[in-house]
């Protein structure tokens, strides 16, 4: 599997157009490679990884649709494609959309509109740092705190229910440091006491039966970077003592060793436990609690931030697609409503598992409710969900249907109105009410 990339592949034979696009991409901060022929682009796409392809349909050696179909035939995992087309080639562009291309733009086009489309498409592909944490007020506050903490070495404790994305937040903090340093994670609750000690501090050759060589622990592996200790609340009491000493002295001793080894780490811990209660009950050391809890970040469960659920679902689908040969699918209107209505007791972990299964079962471009949940829709509704939900659901269905009709009619308003059995004025009113316009909605189909 090719490693993920943030680069854009530009395929354009016209020198003036290519220079214009290349210059603008550079000004917008998009790293890119520019290919003048389909053959050059084919060779690059077979060996390199790109976040997005912007391609003219008319090329000097082969057409853009032939290039796209060739890659499909070879079973290549394709990045999203935006095609540049003339008015006489719209049919080809629409056919490419049906085959999996993401979008097209018609000459002459507004460069700003193209840049906006590119940003909408590659934002989940370029998932690094804080872009995948969410946009709810609670998560925006978390992001603000992460920016403040990026220049500090203070220990951070991340709390929240299982599956809320505590490691995602820890990685976001690590990425904000801007350093090419290691991020090492270990789950303290998944190992026995002896295994955890060896995992944390390493061991010398011959320290115990089976220790055939010297091994560095995660403290040493993370030196200069971030050490993430997940489920710190499950650490055995004896290990809490050794952990506290290592944090106080900023040095460790390997199992079976005697030499103090200095370590320089940023410590981030996480737990689903309420550590204050474990301190009161004597299960967790109070001095260790204050050592790891200089700053606490509580990650709310998905049911407390429903506005984050659908964007997270799209981000997770992009991550899942990056490990397979499929382009990320979308959702039917019913699936969108169900995703937002369901409380997700397992939080992001449950959401990701459901999406992985749905991606495997989905044969088309859209994931349906039945594929996603494998159970009848009524269980997704509570009494508080029912107020106004039918109107909202029908509105989403109507909007999706109108957009698809507009694309099928190549955005010819009168033709589309006739096919829908409504007047041109009525269609314009619905487009205005639903916020439908050609530049911003065609990629949603």
């Amino acid at each position: 599997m090719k490693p993920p990339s943030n680069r854009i592949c530009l395929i354009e034979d016209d020198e003036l157009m290519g220079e214009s696009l290349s210059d603008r991409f550079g000004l917008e901060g998009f790293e890119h490679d520019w290919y003048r022929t389909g053959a050059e682009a084919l060779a690059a796409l077979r060996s390199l990884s790109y976040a997005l392809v912007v391609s003219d349909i008319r090329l000097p050696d082969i057409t853009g649709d032939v290039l796209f179909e060739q890659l499909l035939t070879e079973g290549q995992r394709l990045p999203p494609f935006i095609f540049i087309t003339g008015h006489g080639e719209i049919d080809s562009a629409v056919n490419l959309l049906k085959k999996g291309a993401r979008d097209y733009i018609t000459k002459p086009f507004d460069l700003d509109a193209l840049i906006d489309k590119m940003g909408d498409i590659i934002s989940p592909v370029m998932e690094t740092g804080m872009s995948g944490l969410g946009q709810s007020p609670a998560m925006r506050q978390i992001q603000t705190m992460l920016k403040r903490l990026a220049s500090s070495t203070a220990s951070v404790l991340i709390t929240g229910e299982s599956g809320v994305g505590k490691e995602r937040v820890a990685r976001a903090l690590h990425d904000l440091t801007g350093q090419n340093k290691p991020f090492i994670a270990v789950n303290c609750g998944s190992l026995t006491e002896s295994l955890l000690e060896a995992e944390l501090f390493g061991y010398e050759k011959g320290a115990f039966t089976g220790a055939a060589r010297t091994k560095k622990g995660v403290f040493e592996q993370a030196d200069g970077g971030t050490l993430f200790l997940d489920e710190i609340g499950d650490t055995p009491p004896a290990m809490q003592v050794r952990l506290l000493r290592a944090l106080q002295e900023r040095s460790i001793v390997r199992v079976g060793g005697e030499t103090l080894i200095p370590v320089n780490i940023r410590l981030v811990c996480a737990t689903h436990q309420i550590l204050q209660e474990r301190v009161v009950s004597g299960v967790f050391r109070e001095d260790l609690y204050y050592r790891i809890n200089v700053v606490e970040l509580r990650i709310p469960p998905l049911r407390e931030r429903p506005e984050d659920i659908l964007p997270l679902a799209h981000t997770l689908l992009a991550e899942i697609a990056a490990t397979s040969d499929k382009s990320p699918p979308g959702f039917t209107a019913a699936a969108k409503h169900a995703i937002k209505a369901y409380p997700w007791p397992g939080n992001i972990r449950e959401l990701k598992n459901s999406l992985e299964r749905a991606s495997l079962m989905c044969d088309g471009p859209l994931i349906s409710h039945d594929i996603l949940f494998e159970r009848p829709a009524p269980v997704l509704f509570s009494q508080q969900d029912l107020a106004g939900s039918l109107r909202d659901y029908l509105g989403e269905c109507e909007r999706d249907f109108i957009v698809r009709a507009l694309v099928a009619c190549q955005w010819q308003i009168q033709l589309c109105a006739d096919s829908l059995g409504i007047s041109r004025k009525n269609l314009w009113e619905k487009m205005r009410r639903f916020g439908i316009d050609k530049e911003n909605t065609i990629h949603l189909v």
Side-chain angles (χ1 to χ4, degrees):
M1 181 64 61
K2 294 179 288 187
S5 169
N6 295 341
R7 296 185 71 83
I8 293 170
C9 174
L10 171 62
I11 311 172
E12 176 57 69
D13 65 304
D14 185 281
E15 287 293 329
L16 291 178
M17 174 69 76
E19 286 184 10
S20 178
L21 291 172
S22 181
D23 289 345
R24 181 61 183 272
F25 290 176
L27 289 173
E28 295 290 339
F30 293 135
E31 295 182 358
H32 60 281
D33 298 319
W34 175 16
Y35 302 102
R36 274 77 167 178
T37 67
E40 291 177 341
L42 268 175
L45 288 166
R46 286 166 176 159
S47 60
L48 302 175
S49 178
Y50 289 99
L52 174 67
V53 178
V54 179
S55 175
D56 200 339
I57 285 186
R58 189 179 297 274
L59 297 170
D61 48 351
I62 59 174
T63 59
D65 48 355
V66 169
L67 178 149
F68 186 77
E69 290 170 2
Q70 178 65 38
L71 291 169
L72 285 177
T73 302
E74 295 173 2
Q76 296 284 338
R77 181 176 65 82
L78 298 184
F81 268 70
I82 296 179
F83 281 100
I84 301 171
T85 178
H87 285 290
E89 301 161 336
I90 292 179
D91 287 343
S92 296
V94 172
N95 286 331
L96 286 166
L97 291 183
K98 295 177 181 178
K99 294 176 181 177
R102 185 63 62 87
D103 205 348
Y104 72 86
I105 192 164
T106 307
K107 299 176 184 177
F109 57 85
D110 183 354
L111 263 177
D112 290 336
L114 175 59
I115 295 300
D116 288 342
K117 287 177 181 289
M118 292 167 60
D120 289 342
I121 291 173
I122 69 175
S123 56
V125 179
M126 298 172 66
E127 168 66 16
T128 56
M130 298 196 295
S131 59
L133 297 185
Q135 296 301 312
S136 62
M139 295 312 296
R140 286 183 180 275
Q141 187 174 3
I142 294 290
Q143 293 172 29
T144 299
M145 284 299 300
L146 292 179
K147 291 176 183 177
R148 293 177 182 174
L149 290 168
S151 59
S152 166
T153 59
S155 298
V156 177
L157 177 64
I158 305 175
T159 60
E161 295 178 5
S162 294
V164 292
K166 296 186 283 292
E167 184 169 343
R168 294 175 81 90
V169 173
R171 287 185 180 276
L173 176 58
H174 175 75
D175 291 341
L176 281 172
T177 63
Q179 300 176 357
N180 187 23
K181 299 293 185 179
F183 177 95
I184 305 296
V186 62
N187 189 318
C188 298
S190 64
L191 300 171
T192 64
E193 183 172 334
S194 58
L195 288 177
L196 180 59
E197 183 179 30
E199 184 71 15
L200 291 176
F201 306 115
Y203 52 82
E204 298 289 349
K205 181 179 179 180
F208 50 82
T209 302
R213 60 181 179 83
T214 297
K215 182 181 182 299
K216 290 182 178 180
V218 293
F219 268 89
E220 288 183 79
Q221 295 173 37
D223 190 37
T226 300
L227 176 58
F228 176 63
L229 299 182
D230 199 6
E231 298 303 345
I232 187 71
D234 294 330
T235 307
M239 285 306 305
Q240 293 179 32
V241 176
R242 286 209 62 183
L243 186 56
L244 177 62
R245 185 179 301 117
L247 296 178
Q248 288 175 334
E249 299 177 1
R250 291 288 171 175
S251 61
I252 59 98
V253 178
R254 295 175 186 154
V255 176
E258 298 178 353
T259 305
L260 277 176
I261 302 172
V263 289
N264 176 28
I265 60 165
R266 145 92 72 168
L267 181 68
V268 181
C269 298
T271 182
H272 74 282
Q273 311 268 12
I274 301 177
L275 286 188
Q276 297 95 320
E277 294 181 356
R278 295 178 73 79
V279 169
V280 171
S281 64
V283 177
F284 198 84
R285 293 183 62 95
E286 184 176 20
D287 45 6
L288 178 59
Y289 171 69
Y290 288 114
R291 174 67 66 174
I292 65 175
N293 187 20
V294 177
V295 177
E296 180 176 346
L297 300 176
R298 176 189 175 270
I299 311 303
L302 286 184
R303 63 181 177 276
E304 293 182 12
R305 46 188 178 107
E307 60 267 58
D308 285 339
I309 296 176
L310 197 56
L312 271 171
H314 284 293
T315 295
L316 292 170
L317 280 176
E319 293 177 357
I320 293 166
T323 63
S324 68
D325 295 327
K326 291 184 177 181
S327 298
F331 298 101
T332 64
K336 288 179 184 177
H337 182 84
I339 286 172
K340 291 185 287 186
Y342 182 61
W344 297 106
N347 294 295
I348 296 176
R349 185 177 296 121
E350 180 185 2
L351 175 61
K352 185 173 184 179
N353 287 343
S354 297
L355 294 173
E356 286 178 336
R357 183 185 64 248
S359 296
L360 288 172
M361 302 301 294
C362 180
D363 294 325
L366 298 176
I367 293 175
S368 67
H369 168 276
D370 293 339
I371 292 176
L372 182 62
F373 286 96
E374 295 186 326
R375 58 179 176 265
V379 301
L380 299 174
F381 295 94
S382 63
Q383 285 187 336
Q384 63 183 18
D385 293 324
L386 292 175
S389 63
L390 179 60
R391 180 176 62 253
D392 295 340
Y393 172 71
L394 292 176
E396 287 187 29
C397 292
E398 184 178 7
R399 183 184 186 280
D400 286 351
F401 192 79
I402 290 173
V403 171
R404 294 177 186 283
L406 284 164
V407 172
C409 295
Q410 300 178 15
W411 292 82
Q412 298 180 46
I413 302 300
Q414 187 62 60
L415 179 61
C416 184
D418 292 342
S419 69
L420 292 172
I422 60 177
S423 68
R424 182 187 182 94
K425 179 182 178 182
N426 195 355
L427 177 57
W428 275 118
E429 289 174 347
K430 289 179 181 293
M431 291 174 65
R432 190 160 41 247
R433 174 156 55 92
F434 290 124
I436 299 172
D437 66 83
K438 184 176 180 180
E439 297 301 329
N440 296 322
T441 59
I442 190 169
H443 69 279
L444 298 177
V445 178

